[in-house]
Amino acid sequence: MRVIETEIPEVKRVIPKRHGDERGWFSEVFRMDQLAERGIANVFVQDNQSFSAPVGTLRGLHFQTPPAAQAKLVRVLAGAILDVAVDIRRGSSTFGKYVAVRLDAENGEQLFIPHGFAHGFCTLEPNTMVAYKVDAYYSPANDRNIVWNDPEIGIDWPVSEAEAILSAKDKAAPRLAEAPELF
């Protein structure tokens, strides 16, 4: 298993090794010991899964505030996404900056998103299924979001505002500068 830092070093690409033959392949997609050896020592307590039928489904930018902040380990089981992590740690040298990585079922790459980051993704293929581990339980009282197309963040999404398929919650999210509770 390889772990590679991104432009924001706390956000990491996780690349499990695949062992293949004429039947297909096998991969250990999660090994707590190997991740800990490579700097990801989070204890994951909940697995989440989402399914998005249409291309252009956009989920995010979501996060939970302390004490229920969540780190995530995200992977795609079917289809493909543009996965995005935005630094929302006030005082950080990368505050408001983001990392965007294509994740797909074919290559099996994962993205580790630590505490202090908002997370979102946009589906690139139909019938996309995303699975992710979190290190804190879902807490409705700590659930927050930031608008996906905040111009001050400037994420280069693969869809326009007219094409993006959003929940009512995500449409009504505040901009980063207006978000009262961050890190």
Side-chain angles (χ1 to χ4, degrees), residues 109-128:
E109 186 173 323
Q110 302 175 51
L111 191 65
F112 173 73
I113 302 166
H115 299 155
F117 286 75
H119 172 245
F121 63 84
C122 182
T123 59
L124 304 173
E125 295 180 6
N127 302 318
T128 292

Side-chain angles (χ1 to χ4, degrees), residues 111-166:
L111 191 65
F112 173 73
I113 302 166
H115 299 155
F117 286 75
H119 172 245
F121 63 84
C122 182
T123 59
L124 304 173
E125 295 180 6
N127 302 318
T128 292
M129 193 172 307
V130 177
Y132 56 100
K133 296 182 175 308
V134 294
D135 70 349
Y137 297 109
Y138 174 69
S139 169
N142 299 88
D143 188 28
R144 303 288 185 275
N145 63 347
I146 297 166
V147 72
W148 67 282
N149 60 351
D150 185 330
E152 291 182 29
I153 299 171
I155 298 169
D156 186 16
W157 292 107
V159 293
S160 68
E161 190 170 341
E163 297 167 323
I165 301 166
L166 299 157

Side-chain angles (χ1 to χ4, degrees), residues 53-64:
V55 171
T57 299
L58 205 141
R59 299 178 186 266
L61 300 162
H62 303 151
F63 63 98
Q64 287 192 178

Side-chain angles (χ1 to χ4, degrees), residues 1-4 12-14 29-44 73 112 133:
M1 183 173 293
R2 291 183 9 219
V3 175
I4 302 168
K12 300 178 185 330
R13 294 171 48 204
V14 176
V29 297
F30 177 76
R31 286 268 316 245
M32 186 179 287
D33 60 339
Q34 288 185 12
L35 288 174
E37 289 170 7
R38 292 160 178 83
I40 301 173
N42 302 67
V43 176
F44 295 103
L73 182 60
F112 173 73
K133 296 182 175 308

